[in-house]
Amino acid sequence: DNEFILSNINNYPWDFETISRLKEISFIKQLLLNKSLSSKNWSWDDLEDRLDFEFVSENLDSIDFDLFEITKIRRDEAKPLIIKYPERKWDWSYISSDYELSFILEALQSIADNLNLHKLIERAFSDEFWALEFCRSEAFNSLISAEKANRLQTFSITIQKFAWNYELIKYFDNLGFVSWTNRSSHGFEENEHVVWTKEIFLAYSE
């Protein structure tokens, strides 16, 4: 029974995946609050559905929850927690591709290390308004410059369907992302989504 498990929690190799599925949630909470058990093989797929949001949010300091579902279904409540606990197991791919760009831009200094930058850039620069907002962000510019040789090493703008204009091309050119056709690779001039206005042509025709 529960008392036996509690009394012998460190004496036997308990199956915490089974406990996650079959034991009452009040008992599971009691076990989770035991710091020595937080790293056990809990079935987070089951516990995500069973644990209430209040318990999770109040214990993020001490328990490394799987937060993938909360990221998706409790977006508004999750946002301040994402900023406060960016090291936790949020669904960063979903945040990068689906969370409001306004939130990402405001929280950038806290969450930058965890974002999928490829997805984020493709989203932000496909919209004229957000392209301008991100270009104006010092935090974003610093992030892009710092990650060019790391997380953005394989990122190419050559085929991107961005909200291209002269200012945006100049922005990426200044950051070193614009390259031109050579013997080994295709170049930016082949991007079929760019309308080569007179201003752009004169700037890059040499």
Side-chain angles (χ1 to χ4, degrees), residues 24-45:
E24 58 272 20
I25 197 62
S26 58
F27 179 65
I28 291 173
K29 287 179 179 180
Q30 189 176 359
L31 295 180
L32 284 171
L33 292 173
N34 182 332
K35 292 183 178 180
S36 68
L37 305 179
S38 61
S39 62
K40 298 296 183 179
N41 61 323
W42 297 98
S43 175
W44 291 112
D45 286 342

Side-chain angles (χ1 to χ4, degrees), residues 85-111:
Y85 301 100
E87 75 282 1
R88 294 308 190 194
K89 296 174 183 175
W90 307 100
D91 188 341
W92 289 106
S93 179
Y94 183 80
I95 292 171
S96 302
S97 62
D98 286 81
Y99 267 44
E100 296 89 344
L101 290 171
S102 56
F103 166 77
I104 293 175
L105 201 54
E106 291 170 6
L108 195 59
Q109 289 185 317
S110 296
I111 67 176

Side-chain angles (χ1 to χ4, degrees), residues 156-173:
S156 172
I157 64 169
T158 299
I159 61 171
Q160 295 295 339
K161 191 178 180 180
F162 289 170
W164 291 115
N165 54 38
Y166 171 71
E167 287 75 18
L168 192 55
I169 296 173
K170 184 179 180 180
Y171 173 79
F172 279 105
D173 191 23

Side-chain angles (χ1 to χ4, degrees), residues 14-24 28 41-43 46-47 50:
W14 298 102
D15 184 346
F16 286 90
E17 289 189 0
T18 300
I19 291 175
S20 302
R21 290 191 297 270
L22 301 181
K23 282 296 182 178
E24 58 272 20
I28 291 173
N41 61 323
W42 297 98
S43 175
D46 292 294
L47 291 181
R50 302 187 65 196

Side-chain angles (χ1 to χ4, degrees), residues 151-191:
R151 284 189 286 166
L152 293 174
Q153 188 174 14
T154 61
F155 183 74
S156 172
I157 64 169
T158 299
I159 61 171
Q160 295 295 339
K161 191 178 180 180
F162 289 170
W164 291 115
N165 54 38
Y166 171 71
E167 287 75 18
L168 192 55
I169 296 173
K170 184 179 180 180
Y171 173 79
F172 279 105
D173 191 23
N174 289 339
L175 288 171
F177 284 96
V178 174
S179 59
W180 308 100
T181 299
N182 56 47
R183 292 182 178 179
S184 61
S185 63
H186 296 287
F188 182 71
E189 74 271 23
E190 298 181 43
N191 190 319

